[in-house]
């Protein structure tokens, strides 16, 4: 049987004496959408940052198409990053650049595209996420939270990456705007045929975006399965989390 | 024992910080010098660091030159040495006060701005976003800032030298009664080429220190708005202290017999 598109095997990561990831094992198949759920401080963001090369795990293996990526540095890492797209929690738009330059950043810097050509693609991508060309020349500071997420999504999909990561895509948005963003993510990913990993604690978002769902608790994956089977998981951690109950095996650190 | 442990812990943490700054400086120089180069970023930083610092550096130099002329005149009258005003103003400005005052003023303006900007970029994940967009943050953010500061500081100090000497000239000829032609002749006769170049060398080193401290503290800031504030303060304090220490070391090196 072929190895999944992305594989994480026994990933460990500590910060000083704090052992955050204690052997994460999970995989996602090509063109599939994996959603990692879990409470605050469970290790979701650290897992994502390890895959993106922003943090280096002390132990374990992360493979993309069978290629080990934990030891990539310099141009090899840049090349791998060229296959990735990322929507950050706060969108992480560059304040010093206009909206279209933000969207076109990966095309101009990563793919060395000419600005004129990149601008046309950026405006197309903005249209795909429901934003008009009149926003292209304004500063990100002038955008609302929902608009910033849309611009962040346009930036993530502009270079047409084969793998896209979404970090808490609906956090800080009202439920309707959250649903709009979820739909845009599903549409964009379908159009690109990309493999995606999303981290969230929003169950509505997880059900809408995910083909598969994995739950992380205290630095370990405690359950992983198809999204439509999560309600019948019979896993006490998953049950407590998806129903938002205070009572259960998940300890809340106050 | 607790007292000794505290001292030991302080020394270890200080040495660790020196090590981290040294590695950061090495990476900044190596990665900043290797292609790809971001010329648009470099020009932008030259304007921000150099051109936008001109008013504050010019005014500081002008008033420093004027005050220096007054002090030397007041002190010189005790020894009938008033005629040395023009030459000592020129020497003091070109060798010491021009680069040091400009360095400290630019530290307050530029190191703080760099630390705040990069610190905000760090806490809002914009630096991580650069990495995910196949752009090395060292090359895109740190390299252009350091290069721009090293290029523009000597230019700023050259201008500060001229304005500082002009400040002394205006005070000397209007308040202290010196003859215009004699003041200029004394200045040009006494100042040597090396007096000016030594100040410009110092300026380039100070430029490196200013941008390095701004970038280092901004790049490593954490903990939201409070962390950015701490990074800004640390950049200005460490930049100022390092400039004064480097000034002493460079003066010993450049003027040793």
């Amino acid at each position: 049987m072929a190895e999944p598109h992305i594989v994480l095997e026994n990933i460990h990561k500590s910060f000083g004496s704090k052992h955050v990831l204690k052997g994460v094992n999970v995989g996602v198949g090509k063109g599939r959408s994996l959603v990692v759920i879990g409470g605050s401080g469970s290790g979701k963001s650290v897992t994502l940052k390890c895959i993106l090369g922003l943090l280096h795990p002390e132990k374990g293996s992360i493979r993309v198409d069978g290629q080990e990526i934990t030891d990539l540095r310099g141009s090899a890492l840049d090349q791998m990053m060229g296959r990735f797209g990322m929507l950050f929690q706060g969108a992480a738009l560059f304040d010093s650049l206009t909206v279209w330059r933000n969207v076109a950043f990966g095309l101009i810097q990563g793919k060395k595209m000419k600005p004129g050509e990149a601008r046309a693609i950026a405006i197309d991508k903005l249209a795909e996420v429901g934003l008009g060309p009149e926003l292209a020349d304004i500063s990100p500071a002038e955008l609302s939270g929902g608009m910033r997420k849309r611009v962040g999504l346009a930036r993530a999909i502009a270079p047409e990456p084969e793998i896209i990561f979404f970090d808490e895509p609906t956090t800080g948005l009202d439920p309707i705007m959250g649903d709009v963003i979820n739909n845009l993510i599903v549409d964009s990913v379908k159009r690109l045929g990309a493999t995606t990993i999303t981290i969230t604690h929003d169950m509505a978002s997880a059900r809408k975006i995910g083909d598969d769902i994995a739950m992380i608790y205290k630095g370990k994956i405690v359950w992983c399965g198809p999204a439509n089977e999560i309600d019948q998981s019979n896993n006490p951690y998953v049950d407590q989390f998806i129903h938002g109950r205070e009572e259960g095996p998940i300890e809340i650190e106050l | 024992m607790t007292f000794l442990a505290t001292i030991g812990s302080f020394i270890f943490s200080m040495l660790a910080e020196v090590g981290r700054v040294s590695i950061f400086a090495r990476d900044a120089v190596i990665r900043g010098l290797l292609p790809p180069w971001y010329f648009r970023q470099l020009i932008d930083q030259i304007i921000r660091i150099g051109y936008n610092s001109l008013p504050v550096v010019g005014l500081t130099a002008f008033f420093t030159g004027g005050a220096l002329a007054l002090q030397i005149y007041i002190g010189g009258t005790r020894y009938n040495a008033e005629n040395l005003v023009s030459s000592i103003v020129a020497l003091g400005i070109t060798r010491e006060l021009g680069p040091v005052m400009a360095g400290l003023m630019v530290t307050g303006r530029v190191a703080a701005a760099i630390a705040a900007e990069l610190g905000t970029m760090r806490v809002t994940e914009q630096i991580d976003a650069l990495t995910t967009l196949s752009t090395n943050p060292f090359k895109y953010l740190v390299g252009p800032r350091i290069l721009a500061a090293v290029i523009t500081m000597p230019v700023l100090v050259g201008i500060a030298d001229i304005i500082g000497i002009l400040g002394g000239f205006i005070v000397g000829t209007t308040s202290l009664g010196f003859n215009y032609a004699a003041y200029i002749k004394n200045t040009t006769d006494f100042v040597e080429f090396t007096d000016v170049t030594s100040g410009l060398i110092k300026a380039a080193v100070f430029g490196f220190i200013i941008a390095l401290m701004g970038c280092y503290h901004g790049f490593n800031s954490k903990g939201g708005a409070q962390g950015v504030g701490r990074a800004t303060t640390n950049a200005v304090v460490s930049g100022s202290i390092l400039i004064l220490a480097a000034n002493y070391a460079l003066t010993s090196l450049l003027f040793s017999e």
Side-chain angles (χ1 to χ4, degrees):
Chain A
M1 193 176 135
E3 184 173 274
H5 198 188
I6 305 167
V7 176
L8 281 80
E9 210 170 81
N10 195 28
I11 298 298
H12 287 257
K13 179 70 189 169
S14 303
F15 297 94
S17 58
K18 199 173 178 196
H19 201 166
V20 179
L21 300 185
K22 299 170 184 168
V24 171
N25 291 293
V26 73
V28 52
K30 202 168 181 69
R32 304 275 300 171
S33 174
L34 172 75
V35 176
V36 180
I37 57 170
S40 305
S42 57
K44 302 189 299 287
S45 296
V46 175
T47 305
L48 202 58
K49 286 184 175 180
C50 285
I51 306 173
L52 286 164
L54 300 170
L55 292 172
H56 300 292
E58 285 105 32
K59 213 169 119 184
S61 166
I62 301 173
R63 297 187 297 279
V64 174
D65 286 333
Q67 185 191 357
E68 182 62 47
I69 63 166
T70 49
D71 48 7
L72 292 181
R73 301 285 186 278
S75 58
L77 180 64
D78 289 346
Q79 219 165 19
M80 182 57 73
M81 288 297 154
R83 298 170 64 183
F84 293 171
M86 168 83 187
L87 171 60
F88 285 86
Q89 187 175 344
L93 301 179
F94 305 125
D95 304 320
S96 57
L97 301 178
T98 57
V99 165
W100 84 262
R101 280 197 177 273
N102 264 283
V103 177
F105 195 92
L107 301 171
I108 295 172
Q109 304 299 344
K111 295 191 184 271
K112 309 293 170 208
M113 198 178 273
K114 289 205 165 63
E117 201 184 336
R119 184 186 159 97
I121 294 174
I123 287 173
D124 280 350
K125 295 298 170 189
L126 284 171
E128 278 182 29
V129 297
L131 297 174
E134 68 279 2
L135 297 175
D137 293 306
I138 68 168
S139 158
E142 296 171 56
L143 300 174
S144 68
M147 283 168 144
R148 289 175 72 86
K149 286 269 175 156
R150 289 179 191 226
V151 175
L153 177 60
R155 184 174 70 180
I157 62 173
E160 305 200 337
E162 60 181 279
I163 299 162
I164 312 178
F165 301 95
F166 300 101
D167 182 2
E168 308 274 9
T170 54
T171 297
L173 301 177
D174 64 74
I176 298 167
M177 184 53 75
D179 198 47
V180 170
I181 296 292
N182 287 335
N183 287 331
L184 284 171
I185 288 173
V186 171
D187 290 348
S188 309
V189 169
K190 223 178 262 173
R191 209 174 302 133
L192 290 172
T195 305
T196 69
I197 297 181
T198 304
I199 59 171
T200 186
H201 51 240
D202 175 0
M203 281 315 297
S205 183
R207 289 176 198 277
K208 190 138 211 174
I209 297 173
D211 296 322
D212 301 297
I213 296 179
M215 176 157 176
I216 189 168
Y217 176 64
K218 288 198 171 175
K220 280 187 172 178
I221 299 291
V222 292
W223 183 83
C224 186
N228 54 14
E229 289 178 15
I230 195 163
D231 292 314
Q232 295 83 41
S233 72
N234 291 326
N235 181 299
Y237 294 96
V238 173
D239 282 346
Q240 184 187 353
F241 188 82
I242 65 175
H243 294 112
R245 286 195 294 260
E246 195 181 342
E247 299 80 23
I250 298 174
E251 296 162 16
I252 305 293
E253 289 173 18
L254 297 171
Chain B
M1 192 58 196
T2 314
F3 177 67
L4 285 177
T6 309
I7 292 174
S9 154
F10 173 74
I11 290 171
F12 274 123
S13 64
M14 210 171 74
L15 288 175
E17 186 73 0
V18 170
R20 280 192 290 268
V21 172
S22 306
I23 291 168
F24 188 90
R26 183 203 63 189
D27 288 351
V29 171
I30 293 172
R31 294 187 196 173
L33 290 178
L34 291 173
W37 296 294
Y38 296 99
F39 290 109
R40 196 188 147 100
Q41 287 288 309
L42 180 65
I43 302 294
D44 192 36
Q45 291 306 320
I46 285 175
I47 292 167
R48 283 204 216 177
I49 296 172
Y51 182 74
N52 292 350
S53 297
L54 264 175
V56 69
V57 169
L59 282 170
T60 307
F62 182 81
F63 290 117
T64 305
L68 193 61
L70 275 178
Q71 286 286 13
I72 295 163
Y73 182 80
I74 294 161
T77 49
R78 296 179 194 164
Y79 310 100
N80 293 323
E82 306 94 296
N83 289 334
L84 291 176
V85 167
S86 60
S87 46
I88 295 178
V89 165
L91 271 188
I93 290 287
T94 54
R95 283 185 172 204
E96 286 295 322
L97 290 171
V100 172
M101 294 303 285
L104 293 177
M105 295 311 288
V106 175
T107 303
R109 213 189 77 80
V110 172
I114 291 175
E117 187 182 8
L118 297 198
T120 305
M121 287 185 77
R122 168 62 75 199
V123 300
T124 55
E125 296 184 304
Q126 291 178 51
I127 293 180
D128 290 344
L130 278 174
T131 308
T132 63
L133 291 162
S134 308
T135 303
N136 187 315
F138 261 89
K139 285 184 183 296
Y140 188 77
L141 297 173
V142 179
R145 280 165 174 78
I146 288 184
L147 198 56
V150 171
I151 292 169
T152 54
M153 269 303 284
V155 178
L156 277 175
V157 167
I159 295 168
D161 286 350
I162 295 166
I163 295 174
I165 291 170
L166 179 72
F169 171 79
I170 290 171
V171 170
T173 53
T174 56
S175 303
L176 307 176
F178 286 102
N179 176 277
Y180 292 85
Y183 193 100
I184 293 168
K185 189 174 184 319
N186 276 346
T187 302
T188 52
D189 283 355
F190 210 78
V191 175
E192 292 177 4
F193 184 65
T194 51
D195 296 324
V196 179
T197 53
S198 66
L200 301 184
I201 291 168
K202 285 181 176 181
V205 175
F206 296 168
F208 180 76
I209 291 171
I210 291 165
L212 181 70
M213 286 298 104
C215 290
Y216 173 75
H217 289 288
F219 218 78
N220 291 298
S221 80
K222 49 191 156 198
Q226 202 178 21
V228 175
R230 203 179 309 120
T232 308
T233 307
N234 289 343
V236 174
V237 171
S238 57
S240 303
I241 291 169
L242 281 177
I243 280 178
L244 295 173
N247 181 54
Y248 173 76
L250 286 168
T251 302
S252 311
L253 198 73
L254 294 167
F255 298 104
S256 60
E257 291 299 324

